[in-house]
Amino acid sequence: MPCFTRQNMSFYKPDPKAICVMALNCSDGKLALARSDASIEIWNLNHTPFMEKSFTSNLDNYSVEGLTWCSRRLFSTGHHGWLVELDLFTLTMKDKWSITGEAGTCLDSRNSQIVVGTEQGYLNIFQVTGTDTQFEKFLDKQEGRIVCVKLNPTGEFVVAGSLNAIRIWSVKTGHALHKMVLSRAEANKNTIVWCLEVLSDFTIVSGDSRGVVTFWDGKLGAQLESYHSQNSDIRAICINENEDSLYCSGINQLICNYEKVKVGSSIKWVKSVVRKIDEHDVRAMAVYHKKLYSAGTSGDLVCSYHPPKTVVKYAHIPYVQTASDGCPLILLRYSKHIEIWSFSCSRKNDSEHQTPRCPEGVDPQDRPRKLVKIQKVTKNSENINEVEGIICSCISDDGKWIFLATNSGFRLYALRVVDSHPKLQKINDLDDSNIACVKAAFNSKNNHLIVALSNGNLVVYDLEDGDPFISQRLECFKVHLTDTVSLLEVSSCGKYLAVADAESNIVTFTYTSDGYSRHLKLPKTTIPPTALHFQKHILKVSYANNVVYEFNIKSNEWTELCTARKKPQSIQPPKKIRK
């Protein structure tokens, strides 16, 4: 039986970032969420939820106050005063448009229209046509900040919430039609309308700082009914696809459910279920396929539904990698920097086990200590140093090479320990280092660094002589893959390479003296892969439906474990695959 040594990494304490806003794409089952550090994540909800893609914060998009999907394109706005379109392929900022009214505070979209609310009270209307986005108009200015905004299902009217009032505008004329004034809980305390929902019959639902849920008639601008749902601010409201069930929550963490019932000839909303699922403030919620997704200050994405009563929390898992070639070094990644630590190995030499290999100057019996901290600092437009967010990072198996990628490009470092003092050398003049990348991995057996660029291609760097250079380029996009690279895995023997994208394309490569060459492409499925791992010449593929399949690279066939298992309709691997 194999023997393992457990190490307690109590020195790693990442700070989870709060989730501030959400945007749900119901047609594709994709949930976009933004965190307090302006990073954006795309979660796939079609099977077991998992993070499919992510955007890091940068100097151009350092604030995210609102998110929305429009024509399967993702847009955001923030304190920088721009409407930003995010490129879902390169995972960078695609384009931006200036908005009137300084900082953007919220936005929403319907059909091909986008409305952006601003700090100065302006509502900006943008039109999305094909691959282009154009500014159309801005509506009459209101006094004060616009806190939240919603378009009605037809896109003819805009509903905006602010201090003490809700206003309805006509998009065609640009004038305000109705102003609904909210009462105050205290004489000198403003009532803030934090969130809005607009139903297909033009019923408006609002949540405010008093903890009150109010239903309004949008056609008449009159109040229909109100409920004191919470004891503090209601920060999030969402409604299901059939518009007969509504959820609200906020600072006191209680999630209240209201159901639509028919009483005689009238319609009433009745409180149904009250649950406390989150341990901290709830900032955003969304309903998809009868499942409620909520998030907030805790940084966890929480999925809950009933019956049966179920709660699943998806934590923001940080990235940790060890130098696997018996080297007691570990890479700890934070949102804007990485740290390399050496940790102790208490195992002694005996006939069965050997003392782990260590870089020169590192004693495996020492207490854990931090060797280096690496971050990328760039000057912004005001000539102030800003730390960039990290896209990906990795360390070689022998601990001699460290890779770090940000939005402005990637860097390679050589780590040497001299007289117990770490020395970090940056490799300058690295080709293509100014291009953003999405994934990277070391092939330590062949002294290679494999980088997946944001353009969909792979670049292989030769590290043999300590002077890295590009030895090979592998074209993957439009040849083998149809989306950005989401998974990149190298076998421990260094002979095999596997690449996958979010569209379930998985391609394997083999390494010979002539370089890497395409071996074969695995059958495409309707379920995206979530992880790849090599065990000698066996490739293990984990899918989003919690099924793991094994593929034999040498014989080009699925293993007996897969052929004996009853397969779902979405995955029907043949017994043998031709190259």
Side-chain angles (χ1 to χ4, degrees):
M1 184 175 180
C3 181
F4 300 96
T5 300
R6 186 184 68 179
Q7 294 287 342
N8 183 15
M9 303 298 176
S10 58
F11 48 83
Y12 186 35
K13 298 178 181 180
D15 181 21
K17 303 300 180 181
I19 297 175
C20 302
V21 293
M22 281 183 181
L24 178 63
N25 182 356
C26 293
S27 59
D28 295 334
K30 303 294 178 67
L31 178 67
L33 54 89
R35 296 185 180 271
S36 58
D37 61 348
S39 62
I40 300 174
E41 301 171 1
I42 310 295
W43 286 70
N44 190 321
L45 308 181
N46 290 311
H47 302 281
T48 300
F50 71 98
M51 189 175 68
E52 191 174 86
K53 301 176 182 180
S54 64
F55 299 81
T56 60
S57 60
N58 55 64
L59 302 183
D60 294 323
N61 194 23
Y62 58 85
S63 170
V64 179
E65 297 295 319
L67 280 174
T68 188
W69 294 90
C70 187
S71 302
R72 294 186 173 179
R73 295 157 62 182
L74 184 61
F75 296 85
S76 71
T77 191
H79 294 157
H80 42 62
W82 301 92
L83 173 65
V84 177
E85 181 180 359
L86 301 165
D87 195 322
L88 298 176
F89 177 75
T90 62
L91 304 182
T92 57
M93 187 176 68
K94 186 176 183 180
D95 207 345
K96 61 180 182 180
W97 301 267
S98 177
I99 58 178
T100 303
E102 294 186 352
T105 56
C106 52
L107 82 164
D108 189 37
S109 65
R110 290 281 186 173
N111 304 324
S112 60
Q113 278 186 335
I114 297 177
V115 57
V116 183
T118 63
E119 188 75 31
Q120 290 187 348
Y122 285 96
L123 288 168
N124 296 255
I125 304 296
F126 290 84
Q127 194 71 30
V128 179
T129 56
T131 58
D132 192 20
T133 302
Q134 295 181 349
F135 173 77
E136 186 175 335
K137 63 166 72 172
F138 59 84
L139 309 184
D140 290 346
K141 181 180 180 298
Q142 75 162 46
E143 292 184 5
R145 176 189 184 190
I146 296 177
V147 180
C148 53
V149 67
K150 284 289 180 180
L151 279 161
N152 78 316
T154 61
E156 299 177 280
F157 303 100
V158 176
V159 183
S162 57
L163 295 181
N164 304 315
I166 299 172
R167 293 176 175 86
I168 302 176
W169 275 269
S170 170
V171 175
K172 184 177 180 180
T173 64
H175 302 314
L177 303 178
H178 302 289
K179 178 181 178 180
M180 294 92 80
V181 180
L182 288 80
S183 61
R184 301 189 181 195
E186 299 178 15
N188 298 322
K189 186 176 181 180
N190 292 321
T191 298
I192 306 173
V193 181
W194 288 115
C195 48
L196 290 169
E197 280 292 342
V198 182
L199 309 186
S200 57
D201 61 353
F202 211 3
T203 298
I204 301 169
V205 188
S206 65
D208 56 50
S209 57
R210 302 170 301 168
V212 176
V213 176
T214 309
F215 295 84
W216 309 83
D217 188 334
K219 299 175 183 177
L220 302 176
Q223 178 178 320
L224 298 175
E225 50 187 327
S226 65
Y227 303 95
H228 197 280
S229 178
Q230 312 275 345
N231 294 324
S232 54
D233 300 47
I234 295 177
R235 299 299 302 269
I237 285 180
C238 68
I239 194 164
N240 66 345
E241 298 91 334
N242 299 325
E243 296 186 352
D244 57 4
S245 181
L246 180 140
Y247 297 89
C248 66
S249 187
I251 292 180
N252 67 351
Q253 307 108 39
L254 290 178
I255 296 180
C256 299
N257 176 221
Y258 288 86
E259 300 284 344
K260 182 192 287 187
V261 297
K262 189 172 183 180
V263 181
S265 59
S266 61
I267 299 295
K268 294 288 184 181
W269 288 85
V270 180
K271 182 182 285 189
S272 174
V273 179
V274 179
R275 299 183 66 186
K276 185 174 181 179
I277 297 173
D278 295 86
E279 298 177 356
H280 300 276
D281 300 1
V282 177
R283 299 287 186 87
M285 294 192 300
V287 178
Y288 181 70
H289 286 180
K290 299 181 180 180
K291 294 181 180 180
L292 175 65
Y293 295 90
S294 59
T297 309
S298 65
D300 297 340
L301 178 64
V302 182
C303 174
S304 59
Y305 56 91
H306 70 279
K309 186 179 290 186
T310 306
V311 176
V312 182
K313 293 187 178 182
Y314 300 95
H316 182 58
I317 301 176
Y319 180 84
V320 177
Q321 181 193 356
T322 58
S324 59
D325 193 17
C327 178
L329 295 182
I330 185 169
L331 183 150
L332 307 178
R333 193 171 99 186
Y334 297 81
S335 60
K336 292 190 176 182
H337 73 274
I338 61 173
E339 295 177 357
I340 307 298
W341 285 68
S342 65
F343 56 91
S344 61
C345 297
S346 57
R347 181 180 296 164
K348 298 180 180 180
N349 243 344
D350 53 33
S351 58
E352 296 183 2
H353 307 293
Q354 296 181 351
T355 302
R357 292 169 44 196
C358 303
E360 185 178 352
V362 176
D363 188 353
Q365 306 299 327
D366 286 345
R367 295 176 61 85
R369 66 187 180 103
K370 182 170 66 174
L371 299 180
V372 293
K373 173 184 176 180
I374 308 174
Q375 62 185 15
K376 176 71 181 297
V377 180
T378 308
K379 292 186 180 296
N380 60 14
S381 58
E382 299 178 355
N383 204 30
I384 300 176
N385 290 335
E386 294 283 351
V387 182
E388 294 189 29
I390 296 176
I391 298 176
C392 63
S393 60
C394 57
I395 185 172
S396 61
D397 289 345
D398 55 9
K400 295 181 179 180
W401 298 97
I402 302 170
F403 178 85
L404 176 68
T406 62
N407 283 287
S408 61
F410 55 87
R411 293 182 176 183
L412 183 63
Y413 299 88
L415 177 63
R416 304 291 183 267
V417 181
V418 180
D419 297 331
S420 299
H421 297 289
K423 291 187 177 181
L424 197 66
Q425 177 188 358
K426 176 189 172 184
I427 306 300
N428 296 314
D429 302 326
L430 196 65
D431 294 335
D432 289 353
S433 61
N434 60 336
I435 303 176
C437 77
V438 292
K439 293 290 179 181
F442 284 99
N443 186 342
S444 297
K445 293 296 181 181
N446 300 309
N447 287 322
H448 289 163
L449 168 64
I450 304 169
V451 179
L453 301 178
S454 59
N455 58 14
N457 297 326
L458 300 180
V459 177
V460 181
Y461 291 90
D462 194 321
L463 312 176
E464 183 68 34
D465 299 325
D467 186 15
F469 64 92
I470 296 179
S471 61
Q472 191 177 2
R473 296 180 184 270
L474 300 173
E475 187 175 353
C476 291
F477 182 59
K478 294 183 179 180
V479 178
H480 309 303
L481 306 178
T482 57
D483 200 352
T484 184
V485 175
S486 60
L487 299 172
L488 178 64
E489 182 70 14
V490 179
S491 63
S492 58
C493 64
K495 295 181 181 179
Y496 308 110
L497 167 68
V499 181
D501 64 8
E503 298 295 329
S504 303
N505 297 295
I506 303 175
V507 184
T508 60
F509 297 85
T510 56
Y511 177 75
T512 61
S513 58
D514 296 329
Y516 294 89
S517 59
R518 178 187 180 275
H519 182 64
L520 56 84
K521 183 176 181 180
L522 272 65
K524 186 176 180 179
T525 71
T526 59
I527 302 175
T530 57
L532 300 175
H533 178 70
F534 279 102
Q535 186 177 6
K536 296 183 178 179
H537 58 276
I538 303 296
L539 174 62
K540 300 177 184 291
V541 184
S542 174
Y543 289 95
N545 61 345
N546 299 326
V547 176
V548 178
Y549 281 94
E550 296 180 343
F551 185 80
N552 192 318
I553 301 295
K554 287 185 177 180
S555 61
N556 301 336
E557 60 183 359
W558 301 94
T559 63
E560 295 181 358
L561 176 65
C562 300
T563 55
R565 178 187 296 160
K566 184 179 180 181
K567 309 172 189 64
Q569 295 180 356
S570 56
I571 302 179
Q572 293 292 341
K575 183 177 181 181
K576 186 105 173 175
I577 301 177
R578 296 181 179 180
K579 294 186 181 181

